Amino acid sequence: MSTALTRRSTLGLMAGAATIAMPHVVRAQTIEVVAHYSMPPIFKAAMEAVAEAFNRKSDKVKVTYSNPTPTYEDGAQLVLRQATTGGMPDVSFQGLNRLRLFAERGIAADLKPFLDREGDVAKIGYSKPILGLGHHGGVQCGLAFATSNPISYLNVDLLKKVGASAETFPKDWDGVIALAAKIAALGDGTTGMFFRWPGDDWMFSALLYGFGGRMLTEDESKVAFDGLEGLAALRLLDRMVKEGKMPNLAGNADLQAFGAGKMGMMFRTTAQVRQISGTVGNSFELKTTTMPVIDPVKGRLPTGGAGAMMTAKDPARQAAAWEFIKFATSAEGTTLMATNTGYVPCNQLAIDDPMYLGEFYKANPLFQAATKQVHLMIPWYAFPGQNSVRVTQVMVDNLARIVEQKATPEEVLRDMSREVTRLIPRRQG
């Protein structure tokens, strides 16, 4: 018998004796839940606020965070590796479009049993559409924590220099591109616009869905973005570069240029309202508004954001992880998330009850643009199969060819369609 085992046995006997002798001093052991999230520039303040509020209320479960990852894609790759090598967190906040992948691989625990034990979940703010964002293949593999849609960020000072204003901001992309060209013509390193295309397929889907298109056919057997809607989306991106003088900016260079007052319009996720307004400060007048309309009838916008996924396997740790997930996605947790980021609330109580966010939106008009587009939101498409991460990279690499003016929209559509077709699962029979 090893020394460690002997010591453990001895301590166990001592603990048992203490329990018998002094039952009134025994306390349930606190379980520490380890959670992971991505994109700290956006989420850090919100995550810290949620953890602090949870830890203050909870006496049996405490949450700490592992090192955050820079992007959703990095976060997905990290947990996929850890599922094989060990060291997975108990809870991971993953991009909504990656929950399906973790459900298919059996990494995400099914949250349905936990929801069932709560009774009528609508009473605690989980509506069917909200639950649907984390439901794949018959498994409730996550709960939406933060949702977003793309909005327009405006440098009102630069708009005024070319005779425009936030109130007269164009409602269509033709007007936006023409306005961008005027701002770029001001010179002195000024850029008219930047449409956030790199990173993943989310902003491309905003154009594709805007034309009424979809990624794959309904039965997911074939690519569907290779039709007229996909070509129109790529041609629009091409026009932004050619006519709107949009530069090829990598990383967060557009955020830096916009914050420095050198960019007229930026199209990004509403999640960054807090971050961008903090960067701009008093440098210029900042306003936000909805995305330009493409097809007023068929047009839709993708729902970005993150969902809370349980990765713990041990029943005791799962129960503890559920307590944190339930709080993070509650009306209180959602309110902390929304006010510290710019994301759209994911709990119906927080949306409906003015005690949570009503006064906040009145006092913070920058946050309102995304709420006006909720009726257009559809799920961020999750590609099926084991190659979903590779599919995203293929799309990003091909979009880069347009922005770099190395290929035509027609060439990119052909190549992107062919490459994605090779990566999606083949239907049997």
Side-chain angles (χ1 to χ4, degrees), residues 333-372:
T334 288
T335 298
L336 291 170
M337 177 281 301
T339 55
N340 279 284
T341 57
Y343 277 105
V344 178
C346 292
N347 184 287
Q348 201 65 41
L349 294 183
I351 296 170
D352 295 340
D353 192 331
M355 72 172 280
Y356 290 106
L357 288 164
E359 292 303 317
F360 172 77
Y361 282 123
K362 288 180 184 177
N364 296 273
L366 289 177
F367 289 77
Q368 292 178 8
T371 66
K372 297 175 182 177

Side-chain angles (χ1 to χ4, degrees), residues 171-247:
K171 301 296 184 184
D172 57 64
W173 284 108
D174 288 343
V176 167
I177 290 172
L179 180 57
K182 290 180 181 178
I183 296 172
L186 293 172
D188 193 28
T190 302
T191 297
M193 67 174 291
F194 188 79
F195 185 86
R196 174 69 179 173
W197 63 270
D200 52 45
D201 55 62
W202 190 62
M203 288 298 281
F204 167 69
S205 70
L207 300 181
L208 177 67
Y209 297 170
F211 282 107
R214 56 185 301 150
M215 288 293 190
L216 299 186
T217 56
E218 192 167 349
D219 64 0
E220 299 188 316
S221 64
K222 297 178 181 178
V223 163
F225 62 75
D226 59 347
L228 294 176
E229 298 90 352
L231 182 58
L234 295 178
R235 283 175 173 170
L236 181 53
L237 182 64
D238 189 54
R239 287 184 60 205
M240 292 177 187
V241 178
K242 285 188 170 77
E243 301 171 36
K245 311 301 179 184
M246 187 178 86

